[in-house]
Amino acid sequence: MSEVKVPELAESITEGTISEWLKSVGDQVEKGENIVELETDKVNVEVISEVAGVLTEIKAEEGDTVEVGSVIAVVSDGEAQPASNDAKPEKQEEPSKEDAGKPEATEATEATEATEATETKEESASSNERIQATPSARRLAREKGIDLSKVKTQAGDVIRPEDVESAAKPQPQAKPAEKSQPAQAKSNDNPSKPVVREKLSRRRQTIAKKLLEVSNNTAMLTTFNEVDMTNVMELRKRKKEKFQEDHNGTRLGFMSFFTKAAVAALKKYPDVNAEIDGTDLVLKQFYDIGIAVSTEEGLVVPIVKDCDKKNFAEIEQDIVDLAVKAKDKKLGLDDMMGGSFTITNGGVFGSLMSTPIINGTQAAILGMHSIVTRPIAIDKDRMENRPMMYIALSYDHRIIDGKQAVGFLKTIKDLIENPEDLLLES
């Protein structure tokens, strides 16, 4: 017999939620086979069986929260047995003809019932003897089978015949009190306004908690700028086919340009690549960039590691791979851990401008938005329609001053508008 326990997940994760049992009690389980899926704050984790055998017990149901190290199932040695139809229920003994039609009461039961009836009559008679009543009232009560203790007197303390007559009359039955109905939810008070109540998923609860913590625990501020995308779009148009041929089908997108620009700006403004730990400022000497990805269950931020050491093609391929894993719920904890800076692109959904919220303990986040053709003044005499993008930098004002934030965003703008310089920076 082997116990299935919740494995160690990550330093900051101490529990998870049973998302789905992949096996049922009685199923055959192979060694190393996935038997249950756990939903954690960051990713879904599949738990395997360490031995081969039969799943004989499940100790936690889907939706239950379980802590690291707790036992959630038991796998026993052996093989699953096929269901058998040979077993037949035992034949019940049929009653004899003499007993047919008689109530199933034993002699002891009948004796007990007779004794109880006798005791009740005796108690009632004794009680009647103690009650003050006239002889005629007592005689009338015996004739009508009325318990004198339940007769109410109309005058004085002595029960009279008229009191017995009054008690003998059928009393109007009180209307049974209506059972109080439990208070219904406000949503049911107005059937024309139906609602559906659903429990938040563990990940959505975590997202809500983390975002609220960031809002409450940082001095967050956002600064904006706009980028003329003309040059980078022309470069991408000229080079995208050759780029795709040279890098095994990897497409050249805008994210690699902004990721490389962010790395260059982080090197120029190192406080943006930092975080506060108590009374210390931790300056990170690595450039692991989180790329926000939208999934059905909410926003996740997988990490592209060592962006300063990777070329455009490697960054683009990593972004594609992580996005596919996120949508397929295949992200591992290592894909989510770390990260020194985050980029989010609301432009893919049509966002023109936003104030993104900082991710975790990081100091800042870059927001990209829709590319919109707008008339731009080239100089005093010329106007041209240019593809423009608003960019935003939300930052923790405890670490980063406004001058640094504006300078960081200006660096991004200059490198995107002059992509040749970006290649030199890389």
Side-chain angles (χ1 to χ4, degrees), residues 261-276 281-287 289 340-341 361-364 393 395-396 399-401 403-405 407-409 411:
V263 169
L266 290 170
K267 290 180 178 179
K268 188 175 181 179
Y269 297 94
D271 284 354
V272 183
N273 201 39
E275 68 176 74
I276 290 180
L281 180 65
V282 181
L283 296 167
K284 300 172 185 176
Q285 303 297 309
F286 57 90
Y287 303 92
I289 308 299
S340 59
F341 184 77
T361 59
Q362 296 173 9
L393 182 74
Y395 60 96
D396 190 344
I399 304 174
I400 305 166
D401 294 331
K403 180 181 178 180
Q404 294 171 298
F408 181 92
L409 216 52
T411 300

Side-chain angles (χ1 to χ4, degrees), residues 345-390:
N345 185 6
V348 296
F349 305 110
S351 173
L352 183 63
M353 186 179 292
S354 68
T355 55
I357 298 178
I358 300 169
N359 181 31
T361 59
Q362 296 173 9
I365 181 172
L366 176 68
M368 299 166 55
H369 300 92
S370 295
I371 301 173
V372 178
T373 301
R374 300 199 307 271
I376 300 296
I378 305 302
D379 52 38
K380 292 182 179 180
D381 301 321
R382 290 185 301 156
M383 295 281 291
E384 288 186 9
N385 289 332
R386 293 291 184 92
M388 304 298 295
M389 175 193 289
Y390 288 116

Side-chain angles (χ1 to χ4, degrees), residues 239-311:
K239 299 294 184 179
K240 65 178 182 179
E241 291 184 3
K242 183 70 164 59
F243 184 92
Q244 196 165 349
E245 291 176 3
D246 293 344
H247 297 96
N248 299 319
T250 301
R251 299 177 62 183
L252 179 60
F254 294 122
M255 286 302 301
S256 55
F257 285 94
F258 277 92
T259 302
K260 279 296 187 180
V263 169
L266 290 170
K267 290 180 178 179
K268 188 175 181 179
Y269 297 94
D271 284 354
V272 183
N273 201 39
E275 68 176 74
I276 290 180
D277 183 12
T279 57
D280 296 333
L281 180 65
V282 181
L283 296 167
K284 300 172 185 176
Q285 303 297 309
F286 57 90
Y287 303 92
D288 294 350
I289 308 299
I291 306 296
V293 178
S294 178
T295 69
E296 292 181 358
E297 297 181 347
L299 198 70
V300 294
V301 187
I303 310 300
V304 180
K305 307 288 180 65
D306 301 319
C307 290
D308 57 321
K309 301 174 183 177
K310 293 179 177 177
N311 59 33

